[in-house]
Amino acid sequence: MASPFLLLLLLIPLCLLVLFLALSFLARPKSVRIPIKNRHVLITGGSSGIGLALAKAAASQGAHVSILARNAKRLEEAREEIKLATGHMARVLVADVRDPQAVAQALEESGPVDVLVCNQGVFVPMELEKQDLEEAKFMIDVNLMGTFHLIKAALPGMKSRARETGLPASIAIMSSQAGQVGVYGYTAYSASKFALRGLAESLQQEVIAHNIHVSMIFPPDTATPGLAEEQKKRPELTTIIAGSSGEMKAEDVAKKALDGLKEGQFIIPCNFDGTMLAIATAGLSPQRSAVTALFEVLGAGFMRFVGIGFQWNWYSTIQNWHAKR
């Protein structure tokens, strides 16, 4: 007669199989593959950092790339850099994403977009009490409202294009790991990035019938000119806490982002910490992959335990830092 332990060992894989089959049926939206070759990819914040790296990566895969930013001189320099790296000439669009009329005009000039990457972002780390409200408003206007302006201007053309070509389109929104968990000194920045998650989840439901697929990209600190400037202004506690996630190269983030975008992933983490954060914060977000959904279901409780451990570490660090002063 089989022992209870042996029966349990036999039941575990059977239960996992049943759970996987159930998740395969339930996972929505359905899996999709988004091609970028010979398609129009528009990237904001494309004159430097992650945006420029994304432009190079997309152009090297045969995409027709447009880059949008405020600074015309830096855009021209970026265009030359893209041409040297890939042999492709990108279109440049000068606009401030805070200005809806300027954004609409730039999108009209660029023509219909197949893949829109809302990559623009600004970051001024500071405790809320010390931060000027105009600085906080600036981050919200660029990071959040700028994304609204871009998507609203691009959507009509994207819907028509997807209908005419029969090919899936993509809207990718660059968030941050600070858009998954709040960190000391990131009060205004995190607010602007957390809001993008709600935008993206709701937007995906609104555009799925038009074969448009939304992705959220969550990079850690990335070696860019913007990060170098930001680190000069960081509060000491922010450096201690945020530095634990490590730093990535812009090219590595761009590769992760582009690969995830082409697979239609809703949440695109960029490193191991990001993957753990994605599992811990999955919540009610869309999930196409039954395999990833299985890890989310099985790992949720454990990741909550790990998260409480991180919070203990952070709050202990804050308490000790203040005690020394």
Side-chain angles (χ1 to χ4, degrees):
M1 185 175 177
S3 68
F5 180 70
L6 182 59
L7 286 173
L8 181 63
L9 285 179
L10 292 171
L11 276 173
I12 288 173
L14 179 62
C15 290
L16 288 174
L17 177 61
V18 171
L19 178 58
F20 176 75
L21 292 173
L23 291 170
S24 298
F25 172 75
L26 292 171
R28 288 295 184 277
K30 293 181 180 178
S31 295
V32 68
R33 188 73 184 171
I34 299 168
I36 65 167
K37 187 176 181 179
N38 295 323
R39 305 188 78 200
H40 184 196
V41 178
L42 191 153
I43 302 164
T44 65
S47 60
S48 65
I50 296 171
L52 179 55
L54 272 166
K56 290 178 184 176
S60 69
Q61 295 182 30
H64 305 302
V65 173
S66 296
I67 53 175
L68 183 149
R70 288 180 295 170
N71 190 307
K73 184 175 181 291
R74 286 171 62 184
L75 278 169
E76 288 298 335
E77 291 169 354
R79 173 154 64 178
E80 287 304 312
E81 202 172 321
I82 294 164
K83 185 181 178 182
L84 284 171
T86 69
H88 294 271
M89 183 66 80
R91 179 196 294 257
V92 299
L93 302 164
V94 181
D96 186 335
V97 296
R98 294 174 295 173
D99 182 344
Q101 283 75 36
V103 169
Q105 186 177 339
L107 267 291
E108 187 177 347
E109 180 186 331
S110 76
V113 175
D114 297 301
V115 176
L116 173 66
V117 183
C118 302
N119 170 71
Q120 81 285 348
V122 291
F123 182 22
V124 185
M126 194 176 293
E127 296 92 339
L128 179 62
E129 186 179 6
K130 298 177 182 176
Q131 190 155 49
D132 188 271
L133 283 178
E134 284 303 310
E135 240 173 15
K137 185 175 182 297
F138 176 56
M139 282 185 271
I140 291 167
D141 284 347
V142 173
N143 301 348
L144 177 59
M145 293 309 300
T147 302
F148 272 107
H149 298 156
L150 287 158
I151 294 171
K152 191 165 178 63
L155 262 183
M158 292 185 78
K159 287 181 179 181
S160 299
R161 183 87 156 183
R163 187 167 57 249
E164 290 165 7
T165 63
L167 294 172
S170 171
I171 296 172
I173 299 170
M174 188 67 66
S175 184
S176 162
Q177 287 182 357
Q180 293 172 294
V181 59
V183 177
Y184 185 101
Y186 285 17
T187 310
Y189 180 69
S190 282
S192 72
K193 292 295 187 177
F194 264 84
L196 293 172
R197 175 74 171 262
L199 184 163
E201 289 189 6
S202 300
L203 180 67
Q204 181 60 96
Q205 294 182 15
E206 294 177 12
V207 300
I208 189 64
H210 301 279
N211 205 12
I212 299 174
H213 306 271
V214 179
S215 294
M216 289 285 297
I217 305 159
F218 293 99
D221 280 350
T222 305
T224 64
L227 177 66
E229 285 301 310
E230 175 256 310
Q231 285 176 333
K232 296 175 185 175
K233 303 174 183 177
R234 272 185 179 178
E236 185 182 347
L237 267 173
T238 305
T239 301
I240 295 168
I241 294 171
S244 62
S245 181
E247 188 177 294
M248 288 184 71
K249 294 179 180 178
E251 292 76 16
D252 295 334
V253 171
K255 184 180 186 307
K256 291 279 188 182
L258 203 57
D259 289 347
L261 178 159
K262 291 191 293 184
E263 292 175 3
Q265 288 178 245
F266 181 78
I267 293 176
I268 304 175
C270 296
N271 60 3
F272 177 77
D273 289 353
T275 301
M276 296 301 100
L277 266 175
I279 292 171
T281 61
L284 292 175
S285 60
Q287 182 52 264
R288 300 177 189 277
S289 166
V291 174
T292 306
L294 184 64
F295 279 107
E296 289 172 349
V297 171
L298 297 177
F302 174 72
M303 287 310 303
R304 179 56 180 154
F305 177 78
V306 171
I308 289 172
F310 271 106
Q311 293 292 344
W312 172 83
N313 179 53
W314 294 341
Y315 280 97
S316 297
T317 299
I318 293 166
Q319 184 177 0
N320 292 335
W321 188 88
H322 281 287
K324 288 177 181 177
R325 282 151 182 80

